[in-house]
Amino acid sequence: MAALPDCIASLIAALSTLPGIGPRSAERIALHLVQADSGAVKHLAEAILDARERVRFCEVCGALTGTPICDTCADPRRDASLVCVIERPVDIILLEKSATFRGKYHALGGKISPLNGVEPEDLRIAELEKRLLKEPIREVVIALGTDVEGDATGFYLAKRLAREGLKITRIAHGLPAGTGLEFADELTLSRALEGRREML
Ligand SMILES: [Zn+2]
């Protein structure tokens, strides 16, 4: 690495902090960028900054969005009686790719984990309760990971949300054990959603 100028070495170091980019890929990308057309590099840098500055969380469901209310929440063709509860905003993107679910979403922002200091009030559960009062929701589908914390959070939610006229289901097993939704392929996710069962 002695032949690499400092500025390239620090670009490689910055790139290798990104998910999925190991040291070899970081070096390949860095060497490509420093030799690429400077207009194209500027465009890439601006696209990164622009996305970072414009993205925010949907005021209703917590999804990543460029507007105050996300496209899914604003879409009148989505089934407003059905809400799928997921852990992270990116889980919505995974479920949308499986193209099975036609309801709406609610991102909790994490899972209950006393060991890591995450208590129910740290999650967007109160927001979900408010939605149950305002929206015509008849079924809440719990689609958290299959690890211990995901299970515990699911049961906590099922008890706390239980009320007359509301069905609470969880997606079927069949997802890889002990993992989050990101490890399931689209077909597995869509089967898990279709095979959901009532919890209480
Ligand atoms: Zn939304």
Side-chain angles (χ1 to χ4, degrees):
M1 296 288 274
L4 278 179
D6 282 353
C7 58
I8 299 180
S10 54
L11 178 56
I12 293 172
L15 288 167
S16 46
T17 64
L18 298 175
I21 303 205
R24 288 175 70 92
S25 307
E27 187 179 315
R28 204 160 58 234
I29 296 168
L31 292 173
H32 166 80
L33 289 173
V34 295
Q35 297 172 90
D37 170 63
S38 72
V41 176
K42 194 158 177 267
H43 179 72
L44 173 65
E46 281 167 358
I48 294 171
L49 283 173
D50 184 54
R52 181 62 194 91
E53 264 153 37
R54 287 193 12 220
V55 85
R56 57 172 96 182
F57 297 109
C58 171
E59 288 167 13
V60 179
C61 74
L64 290 171
T65 171
T67 47
I69 307 288
C70 76
D71 287 350
T72 308
C73 286
D75 185 350
R77 291 164 302 175
R78 304 285 302 212
D79 182 355
S81 71
L82 195 56
V83 169
C84 182
V85 176
I86 36 66
E87 183 191 343
R88 305 159 311 157
V90 291
D91 294 332
I92 297 173
I93 300 166
L94 297 171
L95 285 165
E96 282 297 287
K97 274 194 202 154
S98 79
T100 311
F101 189 69
R102 297 304 302 154
K104 306 215 172 185
Y105 293 100
H106 191 86
L108 285 183
K111 288 180 284 196
I112 299 169
S113 171
L115 283 177
N116 296 312
V118 184
E119 303 289 341
E121 56 270 28
D122 298 319
L123 305 177
R124 299 180 64 252
I125 300 173
E127 286 87 340
L128 180 54
E129 289 175 316
K130 277 184 209 141
R131 290 183 68 183
L132 291 176
L133 296 174
K134 277 196 293 188
E135 298 177 32
I137 299 168
R138 283 184 297 137
E139 180 179 350
V140 171
V141 187
I142 295 178
L144 301 169
T146 54
D147 56 355
V148 178
E149 291 168 344
D151 276 346
T153 309
F155 282 112
Y156 174 86
L157 277 178
K159 271 200 224 149
R160 178 161 158 183
L161 301 179
R163 64 201 64 200
E164 195 64 34
L166 180 69
K167 197 155 103 174
I168 299 174
T169 55
R170 63 181 296 170
I171 57 171
H173 287 289
L175 296 179
T179 60
L181 299 187
E182 70 269 34
F183 296 102
D185 59 57
E186 286 155 30
L187 187 63
T188 309
L189 271 179
S190 88
R191 283 192 182 140
L193 264 169
E194 277 166 358
R196 64 186 186 271
R197 299 206 178 91
E198 211 153 343
M199 283 186 80
L200 292 174

